[in-house]
Amino acid sequence: MISGLDPARLDDAAKAEEADPGGMLRQVASSAAQVREAQRAAAEAGIARLAEDGRPRAIVIAGMGGSGISGDVLAAVCGVGCAVPVTTVRGYRLPGWVGAADLVIAVSCSGTTEETLEVAAEAARRGCRLLFVGGPDSPLAELSGRSRGVFVPVRSVGQPRSTLWGLTIPLVVAARTLGLADVPEMVFESTAALLEDIAHRCRPSSEPFLNPAKRMALEIAGDVPLVWGSSPLAATAAYRLCCQLNENAKYPGVFGEVPEAGHNQVMVFDGHFGRGGGVASSGSSDPDDFFRDRADDPEHGLHLVLMRDVEEHPQIRKRCDASVRIARDRGVAVTEIGAEGEHPLERIATLIALADYVTVYLAIALGVDPTPVPAIQELKARIA
């Protein structure tokens, strides 16, 4: 058994909550409320004004970490058939092609993210159309006031990564206002209802054999997860799962998307980390050598986590099914997570919701506090 793993921590609500002093489970459970609150906040902020100048040439979302993923979710909801490109910028530089004809959306839960502020300021200098989403009474809010952008205040539920829907829904409302996303009013409520249902199924008081998130967390524990999405929408959820594994469980995760993963990542099933040990060991005489340990340990190795969308290209469906068979033929464990609902917003919300719970329960089972991110804080301090 992996060091630190104690499945008993997931046995009842009291033990789980004791191992979650920062209340990450409560933050994740607020997702449905975030959808409803953010929809109201977007309307009250006057987001309809964005349509006064017509459709933009492109939408560029500036954001980092838990705020940046909102841009990926927006692109997934708009879909590959969207009439304009939807791009997320994670960094300090606004692409040279972005100008006055484009809408730049700056997203920062705290309103203090340095990369996002720098990109937003550059967008204002170029005369771009602007939407700001983030913390009230913050540098982002001040920049919005100076540049006459639309500002949607967001109430953080604790951590930026837990406030995903508070940050994302204003972007979806904006895309709908601009005629770039078909999201009927009832879809926001149906999405919130699905999130409530998942929260009930994954509640701390539900025992592991009934709770899908607890069960998946214990299945993954000790393995190296390859997380693949079966569509652009599911791939966004897969990337989110890897990020949440990193931040909540302090655990690695390797992101991939089908069909691309079938042209490279599938080969690791035959390597050191595959349970079959298809490649010779590194030759190190160190008994703690990680590669040799993984190849020699039949209980732990790779774990394919396949996030499946409701809508998949026929060839993608074949590739996913074949990848599962190839993995299992080589002794690689497989866990599949299926989207629920019909609308893209419903489907991506259900995939992300279950994944969020999985990562928090994995942290708890490993004896890791899911809330704090000390390495991130240390990195910020070192470059300040």
Side-chain angles (χ1 to χ4, degrees):
M1 180 180 294
I2 183 174
S3 176
L5 176 65
D6 183 3
R9 296 191 186 101
L10 303 184
D11 284 346
D12 60 53
K15 290 180 180 178
E17 291 174 5
E18 182 181 351
D20 179 27
M24 184 57 69
L25 282 170
R26 290 193 297 275
Q27 294 178 39
V28 172
S30 71
S31 295
Q34 290 180 44
V35 171
R36 298 181 177 116
E37 184 177 336
Q39 186 185 8
R40 291 193 299 269
E44 292 169 0
I47 211 165
R49 300 204 313 268
L50 293 174
E52 293 175 357
D53 295 324
R55 179 178 292 176
R57 180 181 62 172
I59 297 179
V60 179
I61 302 92
M64 304 298 299
S67 299
I69 195 75
S70 64
D72 299 333
V73 174
L74 175 64
V77 172
C78 290
V80 294
C82 184
V84 306
V86 180
T87 304
T88 300
V89 173
R90 292 177 168 90
Y92 295 90
R93 303 291 294 275
L94 186 65
W97 57 264
V98 179
D102 305 307
L103 171 64
V104 174
I105 307 176
V107 185
S108 171
C109 188
S110 66
T112 63
T113 308
E114 64 177 36
E115 299 97 329
T116 304
L117 289 170
E118 189 162 327
V119 171
E122 176 62 23
R125 286 191 290 270
R126 296 187 194 179
C128 300
R129 297 161 64 177
L130 298 168
L131 170 62
F132 300 82
V133 180
D137 303 319
S138 67
L140 187 70
E142 294 174 9
L143 178 59
S144 177
R146 294 197 305 271
S147 58
R148 298 181 180 179
V150 177
F151 180 74
V152 180
V154 174
R155 180 183 61 84
S156 174
V157 301
Q159 294 292 318
R161 62 188 185 275
S162 306
T163 315
L164 173 62
W165 300 108
L167 297 166
T168 300
I169 294 301
L171 277 60
V172 176
V173 174
R176 184 183 69 165
T177 299
L178 293 166
L180 299 173
D182 181 15
V183 189
E185 198 76 16
M186 62 182 181
V187 169
F188 292 104
E189 181 54 36
S190 62
T191 299
L194 283 167
L195 289 170
E196 285 177 329
D197 182 58
I198 290 175
H200 177 72
R201 280 181 267 160
C202 298
R203 64 194 185 279
S205 60
S206 176
E207 297 180 359
F209 68 92
L210 294 174
N211 187 316
K214 289 182 179 180
R215 185 172 64 251
M216 289 180 193
L218 294 175
E219 289 174 356
I220 294 170
D223 288 343
V224 179
L226 297 180
V227 189
W228 295 355
S230 68
S231 70
L233 183 151
T236 296
Y239 176 69
R240 163 73 172 191
L241 173 52
C242 288
C243 293
Q244 292 291 79
L245 283 169
N246 299 159
E247 292 195 71
N248 287 338
K250 287 65 179 175
Y251 201 89
V254 182
F255 160 73
E257 180 177 357
V258 181
E260 175 64 16
H263 292 263
N264 37 62
Q265 288 188 20
V266 70
M267 280 307 306
V268 301
F269 296 158
D270 287 331
H272 285 292
F273 292 82
R275 283 173 172 80
V279 177
S281 70
S282 62
S284 170
S285 59
D286 182 356
D288 295 323
D289 181 81
F290 185 70
F291 287 99
R292 188 157 58 90
D293 285 352
R294 302 299 292 195
D296 293 343
D297 184 355
E299 295 184 2
H300 300 299
L302 291 174
H303 196 123
L304 177 60
V305 180
L306 192 55
M307 305 194 84
R308 303 294 297 262
D309 197 358
V310 172
E311 296 182 8
E312 297 173 347
H313 188 283
Q315 287 299 108
I316 298 292
R317 190 175 303 114
K318 289 181 182 178
R319 286 179 173 273
C320 287
D321 294 343
S323 296
V324 167
R325 290 194 296 271
I326 291 170
R328 287 179 170 152
D329 286 347
R330 286 156 172 77
V332 173
V334 178
T335 295
E336 296 193 48
I337 300 176
E340 301 175 37
E342 297 181 4
H343 191 276
L345 183 60
E346 297 172 336
R347 284 150 43 203
I348 195 166
T350 56
L351 286 171
I352 287 176
L354 182 56
D356 284 356
Y357 275 106
V358 168
T359 63
V360 177
Y361 283 127
L362 177 59
I364 291 171
L366 293 172
V368 173
D369 186 346
T371 302
V373 284
I376 292 177
Q377 298 304 326
E378 181 180 346
L379 179 58
K380 289 180 179 179
R382 285 176 177 263
I383 65 172

